[in-house]
Amino acid sequence: MTTKATSPNPRIDIEALGFDAGAHLLVKQALIALPVGGLLEVQGRAPGWAVQLADWCRSQGHGCERPAEAQSVARVTRGGLQSGRWRGAEPTGAIDPRQPGAVAQEALPHWGLAARGATVEAGAPAHHFRLVYKDEAWSDSAADLYAQAVAAQWNPDEAIDWSQPVELPAPVEQAIVQVMTYMIENENAALLVPARFLGQLHPHFREMQAALAMQVCDEARHIEVFTRRIRHGGLAPALSTAGGQASLKSLLDEPDFSVASFLLSVLGEGTFVNLLQFLQAQAPDPLTRQIARLAARDEARHVALGMSHLLYRLQQEPDFRHRLAAAVEQRFDALAGTSGLNEEVFDALVLIAAGGLSPAQVAHGYAQVQQLMGDMADGRHAKLVRLGFAPEQAARLSALHTRNFM
């Protein structure tokens, strides 16, 4: 292709290249450099090239003035995106032209699975997602937390030394197995809740989509390592109680994304971080301490994502705070007839901190678990205050949180 400047308008020469062999690419690239309404002169010598050019321009929404018999130059007028086959198309999310790919307040059905900022051709099928409003599903920190999650991924085979022998008194090893059994069912809930909403979230909000996907990956890895720790000592999983199952089912049944994030990520996983930190400090074997340290790091990121989302929503909708308080109260009432944290798990935590069965050891372990309960309550209270609850209300809501921790 050669370009000539014998007229005020840019000109290209497609030479003997026909439109059945790629000449349209040369015209298309030349038009990209022109504004809508700009003129491009095209000349060629392939048989029928001018007719082919006119047909192509018509299909693309561009104007075309074919050359007279004695001439070999056609004039093409660049059309806009609202003409030809692009009629009705619009960029997804270009709310502010100064911010390419800006996040829209509402993701429209006909945007479908298109990349944010892409122009969706008219006639594309509608995709009906349930979470389409930014206020209901956004976090300003999602992109950063996703990047942190990617950087912090760990391979259980490499990050944990599974060659370490576990030589604990039988009651202490059984206590660790009971706690790991309890943690697995809680992590199953922590995996399924974001996974369920992930399928309802419009991909326009891709940063939140990516952050939730990483959260699902984290929980799957936790379930794997907790299971391997149980098997490492040669035992089978221990008790799962009806009360614990009921508590977790209430999370799975919550239909609102923000409320579910509040109950799971802020209150539940926030409390779970305290539990993992307790195991990191109190477990009598390095393998359990190592597992707890790695899992706690992931869970802290999940809490940060939930807090970020809720802070964003409450900034847009301050009255939503009443809905969050009501959710805690309703969950408390629904679980009032259950036993909450089972006795076996509580006793197991005491034994883990005790490390043995002497009266002095048990007394030490019991005191450490009481301190854990206090730390959990303080942590919930601090998060509730940060979300804008008055200190007195935050204390009351923290006390109403399920005794099953999650």
Side-chain angles (χ1 to χ4, degrees):
M1 178 186 74
T2 58
T3 302
K4 298 181 180 180
T6 56
S7 77
N9 303 312
R11 176 182 294 190
I12 64 170
D13 187 351
I14 60 175
E15 302 175 357
L17 187 65
F19 278 77
D20 56 350
H24 70 284
L25 292 174
L26 304 181
V27 180
K28 185 176 183 178
Q29 291 300 312
L31 287 171
I32 288 175
L34 300 180
V36 173
L39 291 176
L40 173 70
E41 294 183 353
V42 182
Q43 68 182 59
R45 58 178 184 274
W49 73 271
V51 174
Q52 294 172 340
L53 171 64
D55 289 343
W56 180 83
C57 287
R58 184 165 53 252
S59 71
Q60 299 296 310
H62 305 298
C64 182
E65 179 184 336
R66 290 168 57 185
E69 290 295 330
Q71 298 176 332
S72 61
V73 177
R75 290 162 57 90
V76 176
T77 304
R78 180 180 175 179
L81 292 178
Q82 300 303 317
S83 60
R85 74 188 185 110
W86 301 109
R87 185 176 292 112
E90 62 182 78
T92 58
I95 303 305
D96 183 346
R98 296 168 297 179
Q99 300 179 29
V103 181
Q105 293 299 319
E106 179 183 2
L108 302 181
H110 73 272
W111 291 354
L113 304 178
R116 191 167 70 220
T119 299
V120 180
E121 185 177 6
H127 293 66
H128 297 284
F129 292 90
R130 195 167 71 81
L131 294 172
V132 297
Y133 294 103
K134 185 179 180 183
D135 291 355
E136 296 179 351
W138 186 247
S139 161
D140 286 332
S141 299
D144 289 339
L145 290 169
Y146 169 73
Q148 291 176 26
V150 171
Q153 291 302 293
W154 46 277
N155 183 340
D157 289 328
E158 298 175 355
I160 298 172
D161 183 5
W162 296 102
S163 67
Q164 300 177 75
V166 174
E167 298 175 348
L168 300 175
V172 177
E173 178 63 18
Q174 290 166 356
I176 290 176
V177 168
Q178 177 61 73
V179 171
M180 291 291 163
T181 301
Y182 157 80
M183 291 170 69
I184 288 170
E185 66 184 29
N186 281 267
E187 295 291 66
N188 278 329
L191 182 155
L192 291 172
V193 171
R196 177 163 58 92
F197 288 110
L198 190 56
Q200 301 173 7
L201 179 64
H202 197 293
H204 179 77
F205 307 111
R206 56 181 173 79
E207 291 86 352
M208 194 65 172
Q209 183 184 55
L212 289 174
M214 293 304 295
Q215 188 168 327
V216 170
C217 291
D218 289 341
E219 304 299 8
R221 186 171 56 249
H222 297 172
I223 293 166
E224 176 194 346
V225 297
F226 296 160
T227 301
R228 289 175 69 172
R229 175 60 186 89
I230 291 173
R231 294 172 178 167
H232 195 72
L235 299 178
L239 178 68
S240 173
T241 65
Q245 295 277 3
S247 177
L248 297 175
K249 186 176 184 299
S250 68
L251 296 175
L252 298 178
D253 290 344
E254 175 53 54
D256 186 277
F257 174 68
S258 297
V259 173
S261 296
F262 175 64
L263 296 176
L264 171 68
S265 298
V266 175
L267 297 181
E269 290 184 300
T271 299
F272 218 61
V273 169
N274 292 116
L275 175 59
L276 289 165
Q277 291 171 340
F278 172 88
L279 293 175
Q280 182 182 348
Q282 301 295 332
D285 65 292
L287 180 59
T288 301
R289 294 196 298 270
Q290 192 175 21
I291 290 171
R293 177 181 61 83
L294 291 167
R297 188 176 65 186
D298 293 338
E299 295 294 347
R301 207 169 45 245
H302 305 168
V303 175
L305 180 64
M307 285 292 293
S308 175
H309 163 62
L310 288 164
L311 288 168
Y312 179 84
R313 178 152 192 180
L314 290 171
Q315 183 180 30
Q316 316 303 316
E317 188 183 350
D319 287 345
F320 193 74
R321 197 171 287 109
H322 302 303
R323 175 71 181 87
L324 298 178
V328 174
E329 294 165 352
Q330 291 165 7
R331 190 178 185 214
F332 175 81
D333 292 340
L335 298 174
T338 69
S339 60
L341 185 69
N342 67 70
E343 182 179 345
E344 284 75 10
V345 172
F346 182 90
D347 291 348
L349 291 172
V350 172
L351 280 173
I352 288 172
L357 290 175
S358 73
Q361 288 174 312
V362 172
H364 170 78
Y366 190 87
Q368 293 301 313
V369 173
Q370 291 301 311
Q371 180 63 50
L372 169 64
M373 298 296 187
D375 292 342
M376 288 176 167
D378 291 344
R380 291 192 299 269
H381 182 270
K383 293 179 185 67
L384 289 165
V385 170
R386 187 181 171 201
L387 290 175
F389 291 96
E392 298 79 9
Q393 186 182 21
R396 184 178 68 83
L397 293 175
S398 175
L400 293 178
H401 180 63
T402 172
R403 290 167 289 175
N404 194 51
F405 297 164
M406 183 67 82

